[in-house]
Amino acid sequence: MDNNNLEQITFGGGCFWCVESCFNMLKGVQSAISGYSGGHKDNPTYEEVCTGETGHAEVVQITYDPAVISYEQLMDVFFFLHDPTQLNRQGNDIGTQYRSVIYYKDDAEKTKAEEAIEKSKQSGRWQGTYVTELTKFEKFWPAEQYHQGYYNENPTQPYCSAVVGPKIQKFKKHFSELGMLNAG
């Protein structure tokens, strides 16, 4: 991976435990870090974000090599991993912190995000009105260390075995068939 040409993207698609673990499996992704963005409180804690009062979403910030994996491919994964038609929730996870959101850095990235949303709509994968927010990126706050790689460290935790695990298996099947996963 060429560290001089790495780029970042930040988005929220529900619980960051699901999203982060999947993105870390992709070829071309240097890191996927769970955290918080979009709110008004500096250095928020998980407990504060869970109240819904900080305005933050649970997000993943991905550092990637665009020579290996494109922004468009990352968006395909993003829309595979969550339902962009559920307002402020994913399944039984309810609250503004679980909203579907793409944080863009400039007008060019905003245009690419709009195109990705349109492509996802045209795919017919999700029925209903898309509620994915497009928001100008301001700040990313990494989540507490115990959230990083949470699923890998806690696969038998009830939420992980019931929700995260099945999502990861579906992801692995689909994206390994496309040759997009790291070996191992």
Side-chain angles (χ1 to χ4, degrees):
M1 223 177 291
D2 183 354
N3 288 337
N4 294 326
N5 293 317
L6 295 178
E7 294 186 21
Q8 287 187 322
I9 182 173
T10 305
F11 46 66
C15 174
F16 48 36
W17 295 344
C18 300
V19 179
E20 175 252 353
S21 56
C22 291
F23 277 96
N24 273 318
M25 294 179 211
L26 292 169
K27 290 178 184 174
V29 171
Q30 183 187 57
S31 67
I33 300 171
S34 293
Y36 316 108
S37 200
H40 52 79
K41 179 161 188 342
D42 289 352
N43 290 312
T45 66
Y46 179 69
E47 290 75 19
E48 290 170 333
V49 171
C50 285
T51 68
E53 294 176 13
T54 66
H56 286 290
E58 286 192 17
V59 299
V60 176
Q61 186 168 75
I62 297 162
T63 302
Y64 68 100
D65 183 345
V68 179
I69 189 166
S70 70
Y71 181 92
E72 291 76 14
Q73 288 172 305
L74 292 169
M75 285 288 100
D76 287 344
V77 174
F78 172 68
F79 286 114
F80 181 89
L81 289 175
H82 83 292
D83 181 346
T85 69
Q86 292 190 3
L87 183 61
N88 297 328
R89 71 179 300 159
Q90 285 298 301
N92 291 327
D93 293 333
I94 300 170
T96 57
Q97 69 270 28
Y98 300 115
R99 66 189 177 271
S100 176
V101 58
I102 301 168
Y103 293 96
Y104 62 89
K105 292 190 177 68
D106 55 33
D107 288 341
E109 202 171 87
K110 181 180 182 185
T111 298
K112 288 198 293 190
E114 290 168 340
E115 290 167 355
I117 291 170
E118 197 52 43
K119 179 182 175 191
S120 182
K121 286 179 182 177
Q122 297 304 315
S123 76
R125 176 172 177 78
W126 302 105
Q127 302 302 311
T129 302
Y130 276 55
V131 294
T132 302
E133 295 176 12
L134 284 176
T135 303
K136 178 87 167 132
F137 178 81
E138 291 184 20
K139 180 77 176 161
F140 171 77
W141 302 98
E144 296 82 350
Q145 188 56 42
Y146 74 90
H147 288 296
Q148 309 306 329
Y150 190 87
Y151 175 77
N152 293 340
E153 298 296 321
N154 303 280
T156 60
Q157 189 262 11
Y159 181 86
C160 287
S161 60
V163 177
V164 183
K167 186 178 280 197
I168 288 174
Q169 293 311 311
K170 188 171 153 184
F171 163 82
K172 281 181 170 179
K173 181 179 183 330
H174 182 76
F175 289 97
S176 67
E177 290 171 0
L178 296 176
M180 292 177 63
L181 302 184
N182 288 314

